Amino acid sequence: MAGKQEMEKLAWKWTESVTDEEVAPKHVETAYGLHFAGCKFGRCRKNCKWNPRCYEGLGASDWIREYDDSVWTDVEDPDREKRTDNSHVGLKNLGATCYVNSLLQLWFHNTEFRRAIYAWRPTEDELDFVENVDETFRPMSCIMQLQRIFALLQFSNRRYIDPSSFIKSLGLNTAEQQVSLPSSISVGQLTFIFWLKDAQEFSKLFIALLEDKLKSHEDPGVRNVIQEQFRGEYDYITRCCRCSKASKYRSTFYELDLNVKGNRDLDGCIREFLNEEKLDGSNQYFCNNCRSKQNATRNIKLEKLPPVLNVQLLRFVFDRQKKEKKKLKTAIKFPEVLDMRQYVDGSSKSFVYDLNAVLVHRGSGAYSGHYVAHIRDRVKRSWFKFNDENIEKVAGANLRLVREDIDGQYEEGDGPRLLCKTNGRLPRGYHSSGDAYMLVYHLRIDDEVFKSEVFVKWSIPNYLQDVVAIDNSRFDEWVTDMNLMRAKNVQTGKEKQREVMSLFKMLPCLDIDKDWQWIPTQWLVRWLSDNSVVPPVTIEEKRCPHQRLLPESVGNLKCITTKAFDQLYAKYGGGERLGKESLCADCVASRCRVLRLKTKIKEDHKTMMRICRAKPVDSEGAFWVGKVSFRCWRKLALDLALSNIQTKDRQSNFGDAEDVEDAVESGEISHFNDDIVCPHGKLSVNESSRRLVPTPVWHCLKSYFPFVVEFVDSCSTCTHCIEEKAEGLQLKENLRESRRTLAIEQKTRLGDLYTGCNRPQLDKLRNTPVRYYVVSSDFVKRWRKFVRSSTRLEPVLNVSNSTLLCCHGGLLYRFQLASYVADQMKNKFVFLHESEWKQVCCMFQVDAQITVTVSSPNVTGSANILVFSPEFCDSCFETRVEEEAKELLVYNHATIFVWKVSADDELTGSLVKTDPATEDQLVSERSAACSLGDDCVQLAKKKRTNDMVPGSDTLSLRRSTRHRKGQGEKALTVASSKTLRDLKLEIMRLFSVAPFDQHLTLDGRLLVGLDSTLGQLGIIPGSVIQLKVDEPCEEILDEKVSIPEEGFKGTELLRS
């Protein structure tokens, strides 16, 4: 369908041949768009706004089709939260607890360990015993919480459970470990984590905590389960190279910590762990047999291996240069079947282990990422991937590792690939990973023994059975409630669909001769929208002066049958009803008259332009018209013709006249030719404001403006205006001459002040005290400008020394002799000799007198003594400094600069870029600001050029203050109300650096606090912020560094 302009032309096309007196009912209906044919269903992409009989694009198409029940409700299907048959239960990620979830799933799938945890009783712990004296299960200790987690993981009906109580029992605060990103950044289903807890550290600490808790249990199977499942033994063997005597030291281990650097497979990692180490030089061994330090060798010998062999791949290492943890991405190949007999000397036992779990850390850094566990179900003999709430069964019977980026997308190609790059195809039964940090192997046992240990009916304590039963009952009630809510929503949606389908067929008004009603388009949209509250049917469109509907309101209304309107009105109610009687014939006739007038004006304008271009102006006589009047005559003519029409009607009839001049210059003219009529009613002397037009053009204009004053081409200008103009020119010339004379006189009498020569030397020693007078530098700058441009500028009449004084009459600014000596004119004060002061008092009005007395010191080598009158006001000075500092920290649309530096650069003095040409100037500024405190140093920098006095000797040394961007530097437009988080997001857009990899410093100070505003951080316009990027590391440094972890300090895992 055509647009607004085309529709309007079609609706009012009949006005070309019909006058306002000939308007008939059919013309009125056409003007309201009622004669437009209704659009067929499916023909329009969107609703034709200016066709009241177009019902497309309002939302009806969304109702007249068959839908699934899920469309009618926004409540998720609760059955999806149910645990399916023969599936495992997941654990909810609380923000930074994915490392805990992966280890909980690992320990849960150790059946012997799970059975021992079930066998523990609350009476074994003093805290739990006191809390459960009434036999009500209120778990307090971490073991009882672990019991609860294991019971729900095994018997819950939920798809996943919440481990919040377990996390809380350990004292872990997830809010301190996680920083959420804004919703505008898509991170998929995973969460970026700052200061991520070390999963390897958590595993060691929690196992140690359990061992300590269980050691007092009366059942040996429970008391020793940690030792029996995870503890192994090895000897440290040290052999003297001189006497060959060996000493042994037996040690236990729960995990084998293997280095990753320099190794490509698990075999190489184990052999490096067992390799012989030389002790020589400063690391010599004290041999008891030789009674002295000797060269020696040391190695580790495995003596006893546990049933569950935990292998920790040390990927998270400490970088001594950067003083932070890094992750090694070295790929390690490991087998599904591990024969440890080759590493245990002289043992006839079988040490064949089967791979049972692989724990993976996704991410490139040590302080961010996500933890996932791949665990083999020994009963089902299948592999599963445990990713917090989501659990996936791996296709086939073998482990399959794929690498997914943090956002859930594959890094390369269209499908999954190996967790790391490998040199060729992997042998059968092997896997390789650059993200695996923990491997768990189970000792292979006979099938009969395996069945006796695994395929046993589980028995858990009664209080745990009650916990599971209550939780399942609550979950089932929730599922029932959600299903009822979904059913109610579905029923409501289907009822609405039936209503829409039945009523929408009755809406179209096919015959305008029958009864019909207006209805707001937006009401129909809301009625047809899903899940919206439908208001009463109320037409809020403005009425015309005759209290009927304006023709321009058609775009917001639709015409529907009275039958359909009655049903909608009966159900939803409403206000005034408007039908055929609402069409206003008077407004249509008035609009017809205006349109015909506009058409005539348009045609006459073309004719006049053609005459002006074709005929010479003075061929048949000419008339003077104003240039502005001639340019805007169409607007003036239309306004004059509509002057008798009421204001509302004028607005409705002229508001969309796009072919008429849009506006008349504000305040210039209100009537035609006002711009060439002088105040005396004669022709204006301003020849540039008028032009000549031929007689036919003037007669045409005269027909629109019959009362306009005529000025033929021979008409003389106003004699009074000519005389006034001559007098005005003479006055202006006299004024310029007087100012020029005044400037010359002032320059002659104050020549040294103007040129900056022979200024008072405050640092010179004198035998007797000398008094000088002070004026404001602002006065000197304004006065010098006037002397240079006396004919253009107003003369300076006052010496504004009051700007240097506070309300108490004291000085607001400190004077620094060092900065004055470096640059005499760059100061708030300008000093005058007594003779100069007398001349100033004669020529200007002085609002305050300020003097300084200079005397030589009593001690040789000291600076001159300066005594100001009036004295300096300390309290007002501090107030002024604070106010100016606050003004610097409040800004909008200011520019700052971000400089990306390499990791090797220091974010201190070497990074501060200073223009060599301004170094001397900065020295003087710093010395001048030293007494003002640190807060005013930036104020001095800001006023670096504002305080320069033009015309002084320093003008030849003026430097540009425009910031020069260096390499790797980009500009940002910010406001002081923006937060550091917003700034980091802007930097991410410019430099493609994630926020958690950004280290921002300003003047050597690290910017922290994501919710702090830029004003609070002290960032002012023009600041240069250094950006250092945290790059991922591939290899560890050569030195082995052992740094104690403090991530769990203050929790139950690590008591301080």
Side-chain angles (χ1 to χ4, degrees), residues 962-974:
R962 183 177 59 184
H963 180 82
R964 300 174 182 174
K965 292 197 297 183
Q967 185 177 3
E969 184 175 304
K970 296 183 179 180
L972 278 176
T973 302
V974 296

PDB file of all heavy atoms in Angstrom, residues 962-974:
ATOM      1  N   ARG A 962      48.021  20.937  23.022  1.00  0.00           N
ATOM      2  CA  ARG A 962      47.229  19.845  22.469  1.00  0.00           C
ATOM      3  C   ARG A 962      47.947  18.525  22.701  1.00  0.00           C
ATOM      4  O   ARG A 962      49.141  18.391  22.437  1.00  0.00           O
ATOM      5  CB  ARG A 962      47.005  20.061  20.981  1.00  0.00           C
ATOM      6  CG  ARG A 962      46.119  18.996  20.332  1.00  0.00           C
ATOM      7  CD  ARG A 962      45.898  19.319  18.877  1.00  0.00           C
ATOM      8  NE  ARG A 962      47.169  19.391  18.165  1.00  0.00           N
ATOM      9  CZ  ARG A 962      47.253  19.741  16.887  1.00  0.00           C
ATOM     10  NH1 ARG A 962      46.170  20.090  16.225  1.00  0.00           N
ATOM     11  NH2 ARG A 962      48.428  19.783  16.298  1.00  0.00           N
ATOM     12  N   HIS A 963      47.194  17.540  23.211  1.00  0.00           N
ATOM     13  CA  HIS A 963      47.803  16.240  23.500  1.00  0.00           C
ATOM     14  C   HIS A 963      48.185  15.531  22.209  1.00  0.00           C
ATOM     15  O   HIS A 963      47.405  15.456  21.267  1.00  0.00           O
ATOM     16  CB  HIS A 963      46.817  15.371  24.292  1.00  0.00           C
ATOM     17  CG  HIS A 963      47.369  14.024  24.638  1.00  0.00           C
ATOM     18  ND1 HIS A 963      48.196  13.829  25.727  1.00  0.00           N
ATOM     19  CD2 HIS A 963      47.234  12.830  24.039  1.00  0.00           C
ATOM     20  CE1 HIS A 963      48.529  12.561  25.782  1.00  0.00           C
ATOM     21  NE2 HIS A 963      47.956  11.928  24.771  1.00  0.00           N
ATOM     22  N   ARG A 964      49.396  15.018  22.180  1.00  0.00           N
ATOM     23  CA  ARG A 964      49.878  14.298  21.007  1.00  0.00           C
ATOM     24  C   ARG A 964      49.838  12.804  21.298  1.00  0.00           C
ATOM     25  O   ARG A 964      50.559  12.316  22.164  1.00  0.00           O
ATOM     26  CB  ARG A 964      51.312  14.725  20.662  1.00  0.00           C
ATOM     27  CG  ARG A 964      51.428  16.211  20.343  1.00  0.00           C
ATOM     28  CD  ARG A 964      52.867  16.615  20.145  1.00  0.00           C
ATOM     29  NE  ARG A 964      52.976  18.044  19.877  1.00  0.00           N
ATOM     30  CZ  ARG A 964      54.133  18.689  19.773  1.00  0.00           C
ATOM     31  NH1 ARG A 964      55.267  18.027  19.917  1.00  0.00           N
ATOM     32  NH2 ARG A 964      54.157  19.982  19.531  1.00  0.00           N
ATOM     33  N   LYS A 965      48.976  12.090  20.590  1.00  0.00           N
ATOM     34  CA  LYS A 965      48.831  10.661  20.820  1.00  0.00           C
ATOM     35  C   LYS A 965      50.064   9.922  20.341  1.00  0.00           C
ATOM     36  O   LYS A 965      50.573  10.158  19.255  1.00  0.00           O
ATOM     37  CB  LYS A 965      47.589  10.116  20.109  1.00  0.00           C
ATOM     38  CG  LYS A 965      46.292  10.614  20.710  1.00  0.00           C
ATOM     39  CD  LYS A 965      45.120   9.767  20.272  1.00  0.00           C
ATOM     40  CE  LYS A 965      44.915   9.855  18.776  1.00  0.00           C
ATOM     41  NZ  LYS A 965      43.735   9.089  18.360  1.00  0.00           N
ATOM     42  N   GLY A 966      50.544   8.998  21.170  1.00  0.00           N
ATOM     43  CA  GLY A 966      51.695   8.191  20.813  1.00  0.00           C
ATOM     44  C   GLY A 966      51.270   6.864  20.233  1.00  0.00           C
ATOM     45  O   GLY A 966      50.086   6.548  20.084  1.00  0.00           O
ATOM     46  N   GLN A 967      52.259   6.059  19.907  1.00  0.00           N
ATOM     47  CA  GLN A 967      51.988   4.744  19.331  1.00  0.00           C
ATOM     48  C   GLN A 967      51.325   3.856  20.373  1.00  0.00           C
ATOM     49  O   GLN A 967      51.744   3.804  21.519  1.00  0.00           O
ATOM     50  CB  GLN A 967      53.295   4.112  18.844  1.00  0.00           C
ATOM     51  CG  GLN A 967      53.082   2.786  18.115  1.00  0.00           C
ATOM     52  CD  GLN A 967      54.399   2.241  17.580  1.00  0.00           C
ATOM     53  OE1 GLN A 967      55.444   2.821  17.814  1.00  0.00           O
ATOM     54  NE2 GLN A 967      54.333   1.143  16.876  1.00  0.00           N
ATOM     55  N   GLY A 968      50.285   3.133  19.970  1.00  0.00           N
ATOM     56  CA  GLY A 968      49.557   2.278  20.891  1.00  0.00           C
ATOM     57  C   GLY A 968      48.593   3.007  21.791  1.00  0.00           C
ATOM     58  O   GLY A 968      48.107   2.448  22.766  1.00  0.00           O
ATOM     59  N   GLU A 969      48.286   4.273  21.478  1.00  0.00           N
ATOM     60  CA  GLU A 969      47.411   5.087  22.316  1.00  0.00           C
ATOM     61  C   GLU A 969      46.150   5.462  21.553  1.00  0.00           C
ATOM     62  O   GLU A 969      46.210   5.796  20.373  1.00  0.00           O
ATOM     63  CB  GLU A 969      48.164   6.346  22.749  1.00  0.00           C
ATOM     64  CG  GLU A 969      47.383   7.233  23.706  1.00  0.00           C
ATOM     65  CD  GLU A 969      48.232   8.391  24.177  1.00  0.00           C
ATOM     66  OE1 GLU A 969      49.315   8.130  24.716  1.00  0.00           O
ATOM     67  OE2 GLU A 969      47.826   9.540  23.971  1.00  0.00           O
ATOM     68  N   LYS A 970      45.011   5.392  22.246  1.00  0.00           N
ATOM     69  CA  LYS A 970      43.734   5.722  21.631  1.00  0.00           C
ATOM     70  C   LYS A 970      42.948   6.614  22.578  1.00  0.00           C
ATOM     71  O   LYS A 970      43.106   6.555  23.790  1.00  0.00           O
ATOM     72  CB  LYS A 970      42.940   4.452  21.286  1.00  0.00           C
ATOM     73  CG  LYS A 970      43.625   3.577  20.249  1.00  0.00           C
ATOM     74  CD  LYS A 970      42.774   2.376  19.877  1.00  0.00           C
ATOM     75  CE  LYS A 970      43.470   1.520  18.822  1.00  0.00           C
ATOM     76  NZ  LYS A 970      42.673   0.347  18.440  1.00  0.00           N
ATOM     77  N   ALA A 971      42.089   7.445  21.970  1.00  0.00           N
ATOM     78  CA  ALA A 971      41.296   8.403  22.737  1.00  0.00           C
ATOM     79  C   ALA A 971      39.918   7.828  23.031  1.00  0.00           C
ATOM     80  O   ALA A 971      39.351   7.086  22.224  1.00  0.00           O
ATOM     81  CB  ALA A 971      41.163   9.722  21.979  1.00  0.00           C
ATOM     82  N   LEU A 972      39.381   8.186  24.202  1.00  0.00           N
ATOM     83  CA  LEU A 972      38.045   7.762  24.614  1.00  0.00           C
ATOM     84  C   LEU A 972      37.277   8.989  25.099  1.00  0.00           C
ATOM     85  O   LEU A 972      37.837   9.856  25.772  1.00  0.00           O
ATOM     86  CB  LEU A 972      38.127   6.747  25.762  1.00  0.00           C
ATOM     87  CG  LEU A 972      38.397   5.288  25.406  1.00  0.00           C
ATOM     88  CD1 LEU A 972      38.537   4.478  26.679  1.00  0.00           C
ATOM     89  CD2 LEU A 972      37.293   4.727  24.557  1.00  0.00           C
ATOM     90  N   THR A 973      36.002   9.051  24.762  1.00  0.00           N
ATOM     91  CA  THR A 973      35.124  10.102  25.274  1.00  0.00           C
ATOM     92  C   THR A 973      34.303   9.517  26.416  1.00  0.00           C
ATOM     93  O   THR A 973      33.551   8.559  26.221  1.00  0.00           O
ATOM     94  CB  THR A 973      34.201  10.629  24.161  1.00  0.00           C
ATOM     95  OG1 THR A 973      35.006  11.130  23.090  1.00  0.00           O
ATOM     96  CG2 THR A 973      33.315  11.732  24.689  1.00  0.00           C
ATOM     97  N   VAL A 974      34.460  10.095  27.604  1.00  0.00           N
ATOM     98  CA  VAL A 974      33.852   9.515  28.800  1.00  0.00           C
ATOM     99  C   VAL A 974      33.212  10.629  29.623  1.00  0.00           C
ATOM    100  O   VAL A 974      33.361  11.810  29.342  1.00  0.00           O
ATOM    101  CB  VAL A 974      34.904   8.772  29.659  1.00  0.00           C
ATOM    102  CG1 VAL A 974      35.474   7.592  28.912  1.00  0.00           C
ATOM    103  CG2 VAL A 974      36.030   9.725  30.068  1.00  0.00           C
TER     104      VAL A 974
END
